[in-house]
Amino acid sequence: MAVRRASHSGTWYNESAKELSTQLENWLGAAELTHGPARAIIAPHAGYQYCGACAAFAYRQISPFVVQRIFILGPSHNVRLSGCALSSAVKYSTPFYDLQIDNEVYEELESTGHFERMSMKVDEDEHSIEMQLPYIAKVMQDYKDKFTIVPVMVGSLSTEKESLYGHIFAQYLADPKNLFIISSDFCHWGQRFRYTFYEKSWGEIHQSITTLDHKGMDTIETLKPAAFVEYLKTFSNTICGRHPISVLLQAANHLRNQKLSLKFLKYAQSSKCYNLGDSSVSYASASLIIE
């Protein structure tokens, strides 16, 4: 029974369940329920000291009593992957309690022939999925034996593959018992990220980054996959979860006969950039509802 360790606990977030619980409660308490119940959310995955408060705005939109299965789509930061990969674990550990992987859905996904398995080392080295787990455990704590998770590592997908995976996930997105969590930070700006796009007419560097990110957020809100691809081509914005976001947009595209609404609820930056020597990472939280 392979259990994936909470490998970033104690560094990226508090390893004490009591202290972590208080922290998450405070952040969730400061966020309002304005765009729920969420069928999908976009949430950041940096250390909680940087993005925890922002992430709360996405997690606040979840109705835990409705949700029975949670898909977590996170980008691969450490290994080259041209498709999508599933975990080798049966459970994911958190400081609160273990989260059970949905074996039935894993088998359905594997039967498509489009998913590989990642090793436990690759799984534990990656933070994009893990950073969602404490929030999931917290929000779902009253129903902890009544839901499963479906963690999926998303590689550098071609537009065709984004469409393919969107098609595969569409049937699951259509089911109100399922929730999708798309793990993504926004602009990584600075020389250390090899990205220093700056439009002076938009103000200081940090204001230019804000405008750049909001153009991206506005594009994602249209739920048009091609428009998001065009935005990325134009600005090359370093949105690390761009492939998981694109997969969500492609899946949503299959549900056009329903009324979908995606809204960004919070935006933040790790620090303000004023000159070329500075660097920052942006965070944004969004919720998708299907009426």
Side-chain angles (χ1 to χ4, degrees):
M1 296 284 281
V3 179
R4 183 200 181 278
R5 292 178 306 125
S7 49
H8 294 73
S9 157
T11 47
W12 291 55
Y13 56 92
N14 205 312
E15 62 197 329
S16 155
K18 187 168 182 272
E19 288 172 31
L20 183 60
S21 182
T22 301
Q23 194 176 44
L24 298 185
E25 270 167 25
N26 288 340
W27 285 330
L28 288 163
E32 283 180 53
L33 172 55
T34 56
H35 200 69
R39 188 72 61 89
I41 63 170
I42 298 171
H45 55 233
Y48 280 5
Q49 68 192 84
Y50 300 109
C51 75
C54 178
F57 283 79
Y59 278 93
R60 184 71 180 83
Q61 313 311 313
I62 295 169
S63 289
F65 66 94
V66 178
V67 176
Q68 291 176 18
R69 191 183 289 119
I70 301 176
F71 290 76
I72 312 155
L73 273 56
S76 172
H77 287 84
N78 307 314
V79 295
R80 291 183 73 80
L81 189 64
S82 62
C84 288
L86 307 176
S87 177
S88 307
V90 291
K91 288 180 180 176
Y92 273 18
S93 186
T94 81
F96 300 123
Y97 54 90
D98 290 351
L99 306 181
Q100 185 76 42
I101 288 181
D102 195 310
N103 214 28
E104 195 182 320
V105 173
Y106 257 21
E107 283 172 11
E108 289 170 5
L109 295 177
E110 269 198 310
S111 72
T112 66
H114 296 295
F115 293 83
E116 57 184 273
R117 290 276 180 167
M118 54 178 143
S119 70
M120 189 65 89
K121 184 184 184 320
V122 165
D123 201 343
E124 290 184 344
D125 284 351
E126 181 55 61
H127 64 275
S128 70
I129 293 172
E130 181 180 338
M131 295 311 294
Q132 308 303 334
L133 306 179
Y135 254 119
I136 291 170
K138 180 66 185 167
V139 168
M140 297 297 294
Q141 64 188 359
D142 292 343
Y143 302 87
K144 66 180 179 188
D145 301 319
K146 295 189 169 69
F147 78 98
T148 52
I149 60 166
V150 184
V152 180
M153 187 188 276
V154 180
S156 300
L157 307 181
S158 63
T159 311
E160 292 72 33
K161 281 196 175 170
E162 287 169 353
S163 174
L164 167 77
Y165 287 109
H167 179 70
I168 290 169
F169 286 120
Q171 59 166 319
Y172 299 104
L173 183 64
D175 186 342
K177 294 191 292 292
N178 293 333
L179 168 73
F180 276 75
I181 294 176
I182 307 300
S183 184
S184 182
D185 294 337
F186 270 67
C187 184
H188 296 61
W189 196 94
Q191 286 162 342
R192 71 190 181 103
F193 299 118
R194 297 193 290 280
Y195 185 76
T196 51
F197 171 86
Y198 177 32
E199 175 51 68
K200 287 188 175 62
S201 67
W202 295 348
E204 297 275 8
I205 292 174
H206 67 90
Q207 293 168 316
S208 168
I209 296 167
T210 300
T211 301
L212 172 73
D213 278 331
H214 276 84
K215 281 180 181 291
M217 290 150 65
D218 291 347
T219 305
I220 293 165
E221 284 184 350
T222 68
L223 292 169
K224 292 176 180 164
F228 186 49
V229 169
E230 197 51 46
Y231 164 82
L232 292 169
K233 265 190 199 153
T234 305
F235 295 105
S236 302
N237 192 359
T238 43
I239 300 170
C240 56
R242 58 192 173 277
H243 297 296
I245 291 170
S246 293
V247 170
L248 174 68
L249 296 180
Q250 290 285 358
N253 212 28
H254 287 278
L255 310 182
R256 279 189 302 254
N257 57 340
Q258 300 187 53
K259 197 171 176 214
L260 282 71
S261 165
L262 191 150
K263 225 181 188 166
F264 278 89
L265 308 167
K266 191 67 176 173
Y267 176 77
Q269 291 172 358
S270 61
S271 56
K272 281 188 161 64
C273 293
Y274 291 95
N275 60 63
L276 277 176
D278 294 341
S279 66
S280 74
V281 179
S282 308
Y283 313 113
S285 282
S287 170
L288 169 75
I289 58 172
I290 301 179
E291 289 165 25

